[in-house]
Amino acid sequence: MERCAARRAPEEERRVRANAREYNEKFQYASNCIKTSKYNIVTFLPVNLFEQFQEVANTYFLFLLILQLIPQISSLSWFTTIVPLVLVLTITAVKDATDDYFRHKSDNQVNNRQSQVLIGGVLRQEQWMNVRVGDIIKLENNQFVAQADLLLLSSSEPHGLCYIETAELDGETNMKVRQAIPVTAELGDTSQLARFDGEVICEPPNNKLDKFGGTLYWKENKYALSNQNMLLRGCVLRNTEWCFGLVIFAGPDTKLMQNSGRTKFKRTSIDRLMNTLVLWIFGFLVCMGVILAIGNAIWEHEVGVCFQIYLPWDEGVHSAFFSGFLSFWSYIIILNTVVPISLYVSVEVIRLGHSYFINWDKKMYCAKRRTPAEARTTTLNEELGQVEYIFSDKTGTLTQNIMVFSKCSVNGHSYGERQMPEPGDVQDVLGHKAELGERPEPVDFSFNPLADPRFQFWDPSLLEAVKLGDLHVHEFFRLLSLCHTVMSEEKSEGELLYKAQSPDEGALVTAARNFGFVFRSRTPKTITVHELGQAITYQLLAILDFNNIRKRMSVIVRSPEGKIRLYCKGADTILLERLHPINQDLSSITTDHLNEYAGEGLRTLVLAYKDLEESYYKDWSERLHRAGSAPEAREDHLARLYDEVEHDMMLLGATAIEDKLQQGVPETIAILTLANIKIWVLTGDKQETAVNIGYSCKMLTDDMTEVFVVTGHTVLEVREELRKAREKMMDASRSVCNGFSYQEKLSSKLTSVLEAIAGEYALVINGHSLAHALEADMEVEFLETACACKAVICCRVTPLQKAQVVELVKKYKKAVTLAIGDGANDVSMIKTAHIGVGISGQEGIQAVLASDYSFSQFKFLQRLLLVHGRWSYLRMCKFLCYFFYKNFAFTMVHFWFGFFCGFSAQTVYDQYFITLYNIVYTSLPVLAMGVFDQDVPEQRSMEYPKLYEPGQLNLLFNKREFFICIAQGIYTSILMFFIPYGVFADATRDDGAQLADYQSFAVTVATSLVIVVSVQIGLDTGFWTAINHFFIWGSLAAYFAILFTMHSDGLFRMFPNQFRFVGNAQNTLAQPTVWLTIALTAVVCIVPVVAFRFLKLDLKPELSDTVRYTQLVRKKQKTQHRCMRHAGRAGSRRSGYAFSHQEGFGELIMSGKNMRLSSLALSSFAPRPSTSWIDTLRKKKGCEGSSAGSPSGAADKTLRV
């Protein structure tokens, strides 16, 4: 984002005077002109080319092109380099131009929006780009605040009130209220506003969406300004006919744009490896050039000097040394194809295809919300196949974030104990329908005409207490109806619609509504509640709002009788310590209820109240007003006053809200765990709730060896608890390894090797303990302990701590991390992880906007990783291996030829073949493989999670695999050159003439190369589609068609200087000897590869090979079973049992511990163990990494667990 004006120095404070453009312009504030585009018609070509040549590969090929223009060193025509270079540059330029066109279109749409600006006492239509800081503008109902942050001056509503939606800011679709300060709320017409000349002194531009501090100076008075007086860019005016606002921040200075800072560019491990390999290849190219240059100098000195009459040196060449120097650059040009110019473009095309597959996946489409999966980036697809750690939010990610008022404790009595429907069988307040089983009837709320018919409760004793006039119960629901920030909209008489900032708050207010305490409406100074049919209006004196530090919210109201009372609700850890000592017994009982509720996975809040004396409130209110007007440290002053009044409160009770699990969460977590992916839950909920959800999700199980709970309040306590946890795990491992139980467990098919060695452990740590654990001197100990556990749950964590935990794992574990969440508090975690996934749920879209991938339900994560991620990694690795192979096989032929042509930089192939090899003959087949290939079907990828492990271990493409591909390419090039060379030495044509000539040799080698690499990609392709067939055989057909065309009479007549060898291809390929040579070369190149693969499949099969073998066995068994049934033979129990397992592993997936069989049961279908090689490699990786994974050697042993 750029602005049209020039940059300026950072501000220390902002001064804005209303209706004074000349005064404001001297500060050079940012204008409202938005420019996100990078180019225009004049600058596009030079700027885009400059950007593209920032890429090392493009600059390298430009350098080669310049070299080819020097006649003394160029043995190839310039078009052999410029054609592929121009093609790559053109494709990239078209993409950039298209993107920039849409940026221009968006800029024009925004900049040309019309607005009503007060100029000279008259409202005029102005384009947004011409709006300036200090202007007064008018907004109307449903109008989008497009470009500026405004100070609300007045509105059509009483008391300067207006309602807004902030979905673009924080993702919340509920309405919020903003209010003008009283002194400006009276400025209702344009004549009064035109005379308004107040000056605002406020904070400089920043990214804090929920905070604003400033002061209005007008008529020798000053008035405090806060965020409640601001209309930020991105909000929409609702239910308000009109309002006027003063522009404070414009364009890039708005808080929304300040928050859209640069997101960290994420690169995959394969990207980083490719860059390293390309540098290695370039070094190899230089080495080959040096070798051939030395050979040229020696040859010219020893042999060439004797043939000066026949082979004179070029003009300007006076020595063998200088000839060698020129030969070096000539060979750099000829051998440049080992550094593939089309590599990066091909990679981007493949990634784009993978992204579309994710977007088009109907199995990841949520019909209920009409939300498809979306790949918001194209650069990380293959890294989805390498994830080892998942960091997940709980609320809205594992759970639905649809809150249902479930239980409550009032004055020591617990309500809601009656039998309730199973999870998912209830209709929540948002109207999600579900079927009811045979359960007790819900409470009848027909006595209340304002009750929400969708609300259900299952304990009638609470309603009886309300009807009997229990004062504590009445006060309980009175608090719920008053202490909130919900907005009420009454569409028709008695039809209320609540707009709540959070689902929790909506559920609590709805519960109070159904039990007879109906919140009807609010103004800035009043709240109207219908209490058991009687309308009562309370004077709203103050709102002590919720934040992440306070973890509580309070309101101070005055009843119609004049009594002043503070109502407070908040987290139990905060409120219980602020109660009056007289509540000790009640607090103990309520705490027991809270623990019980939390143990059931319910979200809890504590409710309390406090009566205030008139004199005390008056004094406190005055101090509050002074604190609100303080120019500095305003938030600190307010926090101290809030804390002062929220003490010595009286306990009312507690609420318990159920946040239901999303569908498929336990199964998804179980399957991902089998794929050796460790899942950490990072949540702001209390420990008991998080632990219970952990058990519900099957992250924690009763079969676990131990669940460690870290709750220390000091550094020493936390360090000691972590040390004890590590000692217990190590002792248990030693006892298992040294005893008979180790062999017993190894022989058992029901237990994995990991269980036999270390057992299954889990770690639960609180936020205050985590703060100590993340300190520099203890973070390694914490990571050691956590990584040795199967599951980790961090409770009561802040958004910053979530990001710190992810960063800690990235820092010390060389593993790919994925963070998944649905709320604004998950954004930092999502941006920190290698891969960020956003859930489009109830908490808005901020997480989605910050993510790399998004979908609507957690269960889709297993398909994203195990299918799309694994396939993307597999395809990219196979593409890279083949790409490097074919380029080395093509290029190294020139190297061998150099030893037989006097190192003269003569090419083997003609220049047109060199130009078209990577563009036409071999480009499309490898792209088809990179886009469509798969080793096993998607069902098997889900059924056998162990197939995911090769990506985690980086087995399919690494430095070792790269050197194997290079070796195969060099081997192919040797055979490709020397077999035809040996045959042509003595071969003759059918007419007895000598067969050996330069062009016949070139055609034979080129044809052999195209056939060999085409057969090779056929062998590499594991999943054939019509596109693969078309591209492979079509590329071969295109080669022969172009070959015969280039040696035709027609082209010779049109371009006699370019196509001299008329009829050569036809004559050469008409010779049986040539075809026998081509066949011999192809067989010798391919047969060793086929033999090696058969031996590897037989002696050391990969897991995917075993899965395919398993499917073959199943098909045979199924065929035999059908034959037996067709013959009328009665099946035995044994055959019936076997057949039932041929239909899949549904029961295993739905079960708990037995689910681990799905990946281990493969051995029962194969004569050899199939996964031991992975386990062995994992152990080897752990041993090798013991010296580099962390700062201390002792720590490393545990880090690699």
Side-chain angles (χ1 to χ4, degrees), residues 24 145 432 499 580 714 731 741 758 786 931 965 988 1003 1058 1201:
N24 296 322
V145 183
H432 295 266
K499 296 280 189 176
H580 194 281
T714 65
D731 291 342
S741 58
V931 173
C965 298
T988 59
V1003 169
Q1058 295 294 327
V1201 172

Side-chain angles (χ1 to χ4, degrees), residues 611-629:
D611 289 321
L612 302 178
E613 296 291 337
E614 183 74 35
S615 58
Y616 171 78
Y617 170 73
K618 186 177 181 180
D619 174 66
W620 182 85
S621 178
E622 290 177 356
R623 286 185 287 141
L624 182 69
H625 179 73
R626 288 197 299 270
S629 304

Side-chain angles (χ1 to χ4, degrees), residues 879-1096:
F879 163 80
L880 292 173
C881 288
Y882 177 79
F883 202 94
F884 288 120
Y885 156 76
K886 75 180 181 67
N887 273 47
F888 267 77
F890 165 67
T891 306
M892 289 300 293
V893 173
H894 293 301
F895 181 78
W896 311 124
F897 186 54
F899 290 89
F900 296 87
C901 66
F903 305 96
S904 61
Q906 175 67 40
T907 61
V908 177
Y909 319 108
D910 68 74
Q911 55 193 6
Y912 299 104
F913 180 82
I914 294 173
T915 304
L916 298 176
Y917 177 76
N918 274 317
I919 297 176
V920 177
Y921 301 148
T922 62
S923 61
L924 294 180
V926 70
L927 283 178
M929 181 180 70
V931 173
F932 299 107
D933 201 48
Q934 51 185 263
D935 53 350
V936 296
E938 61 181 68
Q939 298 89 342
R940 303 302 168 229
S941 294
M942 305 277 279
E943 186 177 349
Y944 302 111
K946 283 284 184 182
L947 287 167
Y948 190 78
E949 290 196 10
Q952 297 170 326
L953 298 171
N954 202 24
L955 295 180
L956 302 186
F957 187 74
N958 48 44
K959 293 172 183 176
R960 176 179 175 272
E961 292 296 322
F962 169 74
F963 285 119
I964 290 175
C965 298
I966 298 308
Q968 184 186 355
I970 294 174
Y971 165 79
T972 301
S973 70
I974 292 173
L975 298 177
M976 201 75 63
F977 174 78
F978 285 102
I979 290 178
Y981 184 85
V983 171
F984 273 48
D986 299 315
T988 59
R989 296 178 179 273
D990 293 339
D991 58 2
Q994 182 70 25
L995 179 61
D997 64 73
Y998 171 73
Q999 272 299 312
S1000 297
F1001 181 74
V1003 169
T1004 303
V1005 174
T1007 305
S1008 301
L1009 176 65
V1010 173
I1011 291 176
V1012 167
V1013 296
S1014 297
V1015 173
Q1016 181 65 48
I1017 199 169
L1019 293 175
D1020 289 344
T1021 300
F1023 181 74
W1024 285 85
T1025 66
I1027 296 176
N1028 293 86
H1029 282 287
F1030 177 75
F1031 282 171
I1032 291 177
W1033 312 128
S1035 295
L1036 273 174
Y1039 165 72
F1040 285 107
I1042 294 172
L1043 178 66
F1044 289 126
T1045 301
M1046 286 185 174
H1047 292 111
S1048 64
D1049 296 338
L1051 277 182
F1052 172 74
R1053 292 192 183 98
M1054 289 187 289
F1055 308 101
N1057 294 328
Q1058 295 294 327
F1059 301 96
R1060 304 185 184 94
F1061 302 100
V1062 184
N1064 179 267
Q1066 294 87 334
N1067 293 334
T1068 301
L1069 296 179
Q1071 302 299 318
T1073 304
V1074 172
W1075 282 108
L1076 288 173
T1077 303
I1078 294 172
L1080 176 63
T1081 305
V1083 168
V1084 176
C1085 288
I1086 296 299
V1087 167
V1089 177
V1090 175
F1092 173 78
R1093 293 189 180 183
F1094 268 109
L1095 288 173
K1096 183 180 178 183

